[in-house]
Amino acid sequence: MAWLTILSTVGVLLCTSLGYLLNVVYNHRRKINELRKQGVPMPEGWSWVTGHLHVLQKYVDGIPPDAAVAFAMRDLCQEYAHTEVFLMDFWPVYPPLFTIFGPEAISQVCNKYNLPKTAVAFRFMEPIAGGPNLVAMNGDEWKYWRSLFNPGFSTGAMLNNVPHIVDSVLAFREKLIEMVGKGMFSLDEFTTKLTMEIILRVTLDDNSNYQKSPNVLATALSRITSWHSFWDPRVLMHPLRPFVQKYNGYIMDKYIGKELQKRFQETKTAISSDNTNGNHKSIKSVITLAIEAYLTGKEDPDILRNSKLDDRFTKYATCQIRLFLFAGTDATASIMVYVYHMLSKHPDWLRRLRQEHNEVFGQDPANAASILKETPGLLNSCKLTIAFIKETLRLYGPAGTMRAGLPGITITDLQGNKQPMEYAGANVLHQALHLNPRVWPRVNEFLPERFLVGPEDELHPDPAAFRPFEQGPRNCIGQTLVWNELRVAVILTCRDLEIRDAYDDFDSKKQSEMSVYEKWKRRVLGEPIKTLHGERAYQTDSGGLHPVNGYPCYVKWAKDQQKSSNN
């Protein structure tokens, strides 16, 4: 009898759970079906069971298996060029979202209404940031924490940090020189270590020397991101993933917590001495400026007597630092690789940039580093370099953004139809926006001059259409740092070093090392797709959309530097 009672209880619980699940699924799909009947644009083939997941799969099958899913969505966008707005139902993986790739509609979402971030943003960023963070926060909470960190990422603060960037780029340059004539290597690995070293110094004042020796914080973050994905269910559903990320998150929290307390003690000493002695640092880290803003905003006159920072501030500040380390490393490293990639593919522009650097910094490349340290504002004089980087960002944007819908809000599509955003949010797809032929003349051509011409020229872009770091109140807080890193890297390396990809040699090496099983598998299933719209160095489904296979490459001296390097 006891077993019968247990079995019947379990049966009731299972039936109740199943009934609840079916009810949730039905109610969601019913709402999407109502929108479909109202004429809301969405792909045909929507299913009560899978929504649009199987529709997307057809496009995913047309790109390399490790390519970012955003490119499958970009291909799908071509079918909605007449509206530039269409609804996708990926529930329960993602909430229902309007995919938006026109500057007018995007400006409504991000500028006019400044819609809040989706709940899924927190879910995907929580393993990386460890808690509430500026990517996922909303409302007054976001405003408060953004205001604390704005001083640290201001234009002035970032210019003050240019000497740190120069030192790290010089170390990066030395690593490149060491690889001249040494064979194939991963450029993405080099740029990742460079950007991690810089972001550690800028945010925490941590002189890690990470390009030459390991760092506990960097290693922990690397393990977290290697077990992370914004889409791949094989990663997201792995049973070990939560444990690996939690453990390494604990390591990061402990490390950052100690650094915060050090900066707090330094700040207290500086404030107590009224900033009149010589111990106060002239170049302040992001977290030091945030602590100063936090203390200034407190009305408690005895706060400087505390032996340590408030626990809540420490927790939230730690989450932001983890976010900055991730975003400041992954996205910047990936963009930097593609800047070098485009330099190798466009030698005419490489010559123009070299000439510009000769004019701004003098004929001897060896003098550029000291000049930049003394006069960092000269970065703004490199107009051609800025245009080149902008065009690279147009073609290889690092990320998009998602926003939640609100009752009473509608967005107007290209046909003038108002689409309701009460139940669905918005997926702002930069990869499709930046390749929108209505907005960008000669869209598939690499034309940095489009960022140099005036409004009277047909190439002049709509300012609302270029959004690699988004626009409006929620633009990327660290974009000035990214711009400085990219410009300094190009200025200190492109005049005497040349990098080219080695994918042909990499593929040949992999082919020769292939196992018998792998060869048999490919004969049966066919060769996997290796290019994306003809590009072998495509962006993968990783945190910063890193280039596939780490961008294998070779480096050599530029022709006019070959003789001097041999003397």
Side-chain angles (χ1 to χ4, degrees):
M1 291 297 291
W3 282 108
L4 288 176
T5 302
I6 293 173
L7 289 174
S8 62
T9 301
V10 171
V12 169
L13 290 174
L14 288 175
C15 289
T16 302
S17 300
L18 180 61
Y20 174 78
L21 177 62
L22 291 174
N23 183 63
V24 170
V25 172
Y26 172 76
N27 283 328
H28 168 74
R29 301 292 188 218
R30 176 179 57 81
K31 292 176 181 177
I32 299 299
N33 191 45
E34 290 175 356
L35 293 173
R36 186 170 64 90
K37 290 180 178 179
Q38 293 170 17
V40 170
M42 66 178 73
E44 294 183 2
W46 175 84
S47 165
W48 281 85
V49 178
T50 60
H52 286 121
L53 285 170
H54 70 290
V55 175
L56 178 64
Q57 188 61 46
K58 292 188 295 185
Y59 292 87
V60 170
D61 291 341
I63 64 175
D66 54 350
V69 177
F71 297 108
M73 287 295 300
R74 187 181 72 184
D75 292 343
L76 177 57
C77 286
Q78 296 176 12
E79 299 183 14
Y80 290 89
H82 60 292
T83 62
E84 296 180 353
V85 174
F86 63 95
L87 182 64
M88 293 296 287
D89 178 18
F90 293 146
W91 188 88
V93 180
Y94 281 93
L97 298 167
F98 280 101
T99 298
I100 304 175
F101 58 101
E104 299 85 358
I106 293 174
S107 294
Q108 294 173 59
V109 169
C110 297
N111 298 72
K112 180 179 179 180
Y113 299 120
N114 188 23
L115 293 176
K117 292 297 186 77
T118 61
V120 75
F122 177 82
R123 175 157 56 94
F124 281 115
M125 291 305 301
E126 195 275 336
I128 292 172
N133 58 85
L134 287 173
V135 167
M137 289 176 179
N138 286 304
D140 291 339
E141 182 181 48
W142 173 82
K143 290 179 181 179
Y144 174 73
W145 287 98
R146 174 78 182 225
S147 69
L148 288 186
F149 284 96
N150 274 336
F153 286 102
S154 67
T155 301
M158 290 299 98
L159 276 180
N160 288 339
N161 275 283
V162 166
H164 294 328
I165 298 174
V166 169
D167 288 337
S168 290
V169 171
L170 288 176
F172 168 72
R173 172 188 163 82
E174 288 302 315
K175 286 172 62 68
L176 291 178
I177 292 174
E178 290 172 4
M179 294 306 300
V180 172
K182 297 290 180 63
M184 186 166 47
F185 65 99
S186 167
L187 183 59
D188 188 58
E189 180 181 333
F190 278 32
T191 59
T192 298
K193 287 188 175 182
L194 165 63
T195 54
M196 173 58 81
E197 182 176 288
I198 291 172
I199 197 68
L200 282 170
R201 186 64 183 271
V202 170
T203 56
L204 289 173
D205 197 22
D206 186 342
N207 192 11
S208 65
N209 200 28
Y210 179 55
Q211 295 183 82
K212 297 181 180 179
S213 60
N215 177 271
V216 173
L217 199 57
T219 300
L221 178 61
S222 176
R223 288 172 179 164
I224 290 174
T225 55
S226 67
W227 283 80
H228 192 71
S229 174
F230 293 102
W231 179 266
D232 193 341
R234 296 170 299 178
V235 177
L236 295 174
M237 298 180 68
H238 197 291
L240 293 180
R241 183 180 69 90
F243 299 101
V244 173
Q245 291 183 328
K246 283 286 186 183
Y247 173 72
N248 286 281
Y250 167 77
I251 293 175
M252 293 189 73
D253 290 348
K254 187 176 180 180
Y255 186 106
I256 295 171
K258 289 181 179 179
E259 292 298 318
L260 285 172
Q261 297 305 330
K262 290 179 183 177
R263 302 291 89 79
F264 176 54
Q265 299 304 325
E266 292 174 358
T267 303
K268 284 202 305 179
T269 301
I271 293 176
S272 298
S273 61
D274 294 325
N275 299 330
T276 57
N277 60 33
N279 295 326
H280 200 40
K281 297 179 180 177
S282 59
I283 302 178
K284 299 180 181 179
S285 65
V286 169
I287 195 58
T288 295
L289 290 170
I291 290 173
E292 288 182 1
Y294 166 72
L295 296 176
T296 301
K298 286 290 184 180
E299 298 180 356
D300 184 2
D302 297 325
I303 192 170
L304 293 180
R305 298 179 182 177
N306 295 342
S307 60
K308 65 175 186 175
L309 281 167
D310 173 78
D311 288 341
R312 185 176 184 275
F313 176 85
T314 301
K315 170 60 179 175
Y316 272 64
T318 297
C319 293
Q320 309 326 310
I321 292 296
R322 286 176 57 169
L323 172 67
F324 299 151
L325 294 179
F326 166 72
T329 300
D330 266 38
T332 312
S334 176
I335 297 167
M336 192 176 293
V337 170
Y338 283 108
V339 170
Y340 285 114
H341 181 53
M342 299 313 284
L343 284 171
S344 71
K345 293 179 70 173
H346 300 277
D348 55 330
W349 270 95
L350 176 57
R351 286 191 295 270
R352 293 181 67 179
L353 263 59
R354 286 171 172 169
Q355 180 60 36
E356 177 179 70
H357 300 162
N358 286 339
E359 294 172 359
V360 175
F361 302 102
Q363 296 291 323
D364 188 352
N367 294 331
S370 59
I371 294 173
L372 274 174
K373 286 185 175 182
E374 294 173 3
T375 317
L378 286 176
L379 288 174
N380 298 320
S381 299
C382 299
K383 304 299 183 183
L384 297 181
T385 304
I386 295 171
F388 188 93
I389 294 172
K390 282 185 174 181
E391 183 70 345
T392 303
L393 279 165
R394 182 181 73 85
L395 296 176
Y396 300 98
T401 185
M402 289 188 294
R403 300 297 181 93
L406 291 175
I409 297 294
T410 62
I411 55 171
T412 305
D413 65 22
L414 201 58
Q415 300 296 314
N417 300 314
K418 295 186 181 297
Q419 306 300 342
M421 295 200 65
E422 180 171 351
Y423 187 64
N427 173 25
V428 177
L429 194 64
H430 290 166
Q431 288 81 3
L433 167 68
H434 289 164
L435 285 171
N436 185 333
R438 179 182 71 84
V439 180
W440 300 92
R442 300 164 65 183
V443 66
N444 293 314
E445 298 181 49
F446 184 78
L447 301 171
E449 53 264 39
R450 69 174 83 245
F451 294 101
L452 296 168
V453 297
E456 71 284 352
D457 195 295
E458 68 168 358
L459 284 178
H460 183 75
D462 178 350
F466 183 65
R467 324 173 71 97
F469 303 108
E470 249 316 312
Q471 297 181 17
R474 303 207 61 160
N475 60 2
C476 174
I477 192 173
Q479 60 181 296
T480 302
L481 173 62
V482 178
W483 281 112
N484 290 350
E485 290 179 80
L486 296 175
R487 287 180 289 181
V488 171
V490 172
I491 290 166
L492 297 185
T493 59
C494 85
R495 278 194 280 178
D496 50 8
L497 293 170
E498 293 181 0
I499 295 171
R500 66 173 180 86
D501 77 79
Y503 279 105
D504 288 343
D505 291 346
F506 177 86
D507 291 339
S508 297
K509 184 174 183 292
K510 286 294 182 182
Q511 183 76 23
S512 66
E513 297 172 348
M514 196 178 298
S515 66
V516 174
Y517 169 74
E518 187 63 27
K519 291 179 180 178
W520 173 84
K521 181 180 176 182
R522 294 195 176 191
R523 279 198 301 268
V524 173
L525 301 178
E527 290 288 331
I529 301 173
K530 287 187 176 181
T531 61
L532 181 65
H533 298 294
E535 175 64 86
R536 180 65 180 88
Y538 57 84
Q539 293 170 285
T540 59
D541 184 28
S542 55
L545 300 187
H546 289 266
V548 64
N549 304 127
Y551 196 84
C553 68
Y554 297 110
V555 62
K556 66 177 183 178
W557 290 108
K559 290 182 180 179
D560 56 349
Q561 294 292 324
Q562 184 69 52
K563 184 180 293 186
S564 62
S565 67
N566 291 331
N567 290 336

